[in-house]
Amino acid sequence: MPLHHFLDLKDIEPAALHRMVTDAVSRKTGRLDLPKGAPDSDRPLAGHVLAMIFEKSSTRTRVSFDIAMRQLGGAAIVLDASTTQLGRGESIADTARVLSRMADAIMIRTDDHAKLLELAHHATVPVINGLTDLSHPCQIMADLLTLHEQGKPLAGLQVAWFGDCNNVLHSLVEAAGLFRFDLRIATPAGYRPDAATVSAAQAAGAHISVTADPLAAARDADVLVTDTWVSMGQAHQEEKLALLAPFQVNEALFAVAQPDAVFLHCLPAHVGEEVSAEVFESPRSLVFDEAENRIHAQKSVLLWCQGLLG
């Protein structure tokens, strides 16, 4: 039986991704009458262990995967690069082979997509992409669940992205092709998304456009999305922020969007930079729903990886 790695959305059949979203909806609904922190009514991963490798700091990924495993009846262990042999030169290949003997799945959050691919190549258990410099598929699964909860059909949805083009956007582009929603990307020259990723999504049926006009991207949009513009320690922050300032998600953009348009952001946010305080704190902001939904979406990812979703 082939391994079910969860590396990038484009590598997974759309039907499987739809099953994950549907399962996540069901599992979240099934917890409505359960006390906070209680396990799910069924515990399909009892006795299973998820090894989590963190080469980049994390709040939501660390907590959501840990809670997801607990609610499914399993357990998770955290491996920080600074406190393991990875930080002292042990290879990704050897780490993959060792952890495959001990754990049932491996999640990695790293700066280099090549490390994820090497880990999956040598692992004999499923590997999950918790974030790389290229993509963030688990975040997009939580976003799709969040939009589903709002009663927004994914096919034909008008989604607009603003600002920097990063790993979250690349996964969103892949999702546009797989779930057939339209994506308008507003970004300055020099910050365009990866052309090959866009072309592949367009070939899969997505309508994707890139513009330097944020108002044009926001017009009649159902969803407005952005992410942090600068990372810790990134050089030339002042120049980048000045260039991206016209792409802030604010009331002016929502004024031309659909009346029931919503706002998404994977967090952490720099309020006042990529999003105004008025939008971030408004009822249209679903950012904390997104954060919670990482738990439920990742439960379904974990079950799919173990071959338990068909």
Side-chain angles (χ1 to χ4, degrees), residues 13-309:
E13 289 294 325
L17 294 169
H18 279 279
R19 284 198 300 275
M20 288 182 231
V21 173
T22 301
D23 181 74
V25 171
S26 176
R27 289 191 170 274
K28 184 175 182 180
T29 302
R31 293 194 57 80
L32 293 178
D33 296 325
L34 292 176
K36 187 175 182 179
D40 284 5
S41 55
D42 64 327
R43 309 181 74 191
L45 294 187
H48 289 63
V49 176
L50 171 69
M52 303 192 293
I53 301 173
F54 288 94
E55 293 192 317
K56 295 195 73 173
S57 59
S58 169
T59 298
R60 279 152 292 278
T61 298
R62 183 183 299 244
V63 176
S64 60
F65 267 110
D66 193 327
I67 292 176
M69 283 299 292
R70 294 184 193 209
Q71 291 183 355
L72 291 171
I77 56 173
V78 173
L79 299 152
D80 289 312
S82 61
T83 57
T84 63
Q85 296 300 334
L86 266 176
R88 301 178 65 184
E90 184 165 20
S91 70
I92 289 286
D94 287 355
T95 299
R97 289 181 283 198
V98 168
L99 293 180
S100 293
R101 300 289 186 99
M102 299 179 176
D104 300 283
I106 306 168
M107 186 281 296
I108 184 169
R109 182 177 171 93
T110 184
D111 56 349
D112 187 350
H113 200 77
K115 291 180 182 178
L116 168 76
L117 299 180
E118 185 179 2
L119 187 75
H121 178 73
H122 291 282
T124 55
V125 296
V127 171
I128 298 171
N129 178 357
L131 174 142
T132 73
D133 57 346
L134 182 64
S135 60
H136 198 356
C138 286
Q139 178 61 52
I140 299 306
M141 294 302 290
D143 293 353
L144 297 177
L145 169 58
T146 304
L147 294 173
H148 187 284
E149 288 180 322
Q150 296 297 308
K152 294 185 178 295
L154 297 177
L157 200 67
Q158 302 296 310
V159 179
W161 172 277
F162 301 89
D164 199 7
C165 293
N166 61 8
N167 48 7
V168 177
L169 175 62
H170 285 149
S171 290
L172 187 63
V173 168
E174 292 181 359
L178 296 165
F179 288 87
R180 302 297 179 89
F181 57 80
D182 296 342
L183 179 59
R184 301 194 291 271
I185 302 166
T187 186
Y191 289 89
R192 300 296 170 93
D194 177 68
T197 302
V198 171
S199 295
Q202 289 172 328
H207 292 94
I208 299 176
S209 60
V210 182
T211 178
D213 183 351
L215 281 172
R219 197 169 309 280
D220 297 323
D222 300 297
V223 187
L224 280 66
V225 194
T226 191
D227 195 5
T228 304
W229 288 344
V230 294
S231 301
M232 185 179 298
Q234 192 173 51
H236 310 297
Q237 292 188 13
E238 293 79 9
E239 294 93 331
K240 184 176 183 180
L241 288 174
L243 187 63
L244 292 171
F247 297 85
Q248 182 191 77
V249 178
N250 51 34
E251 293 293 344
L253 295 187
F254 269 96
V256 300
Q258 291 289 344
D260 62 347
V262 297
F263 172 68
L264 299 181
H265 189 306
C266 71
L267 301 179
H270 293 173
V271 177
E273 291 181 5
E274 70 271 9
V275 58
S276 69
E278 291 78 11
V279 168
F280 188 81
E281 298 295 346
S282 72
R284 64 174 67 94
S285 174
L286 304 179
V287 298
F288 298 109
D289 292 330
E290 285 178 87
E292 177 189 351
N293 282 340
R294 290 288 299 274
I295 298 171
H296 308 293
Q298 287 162 188
K299 282 193 284 189
S300 302
V301 169
L302 286 161
L303 291 170
W304 177 80
C305 286
Q306 295 298 324
L308 300 176
L309 282 188

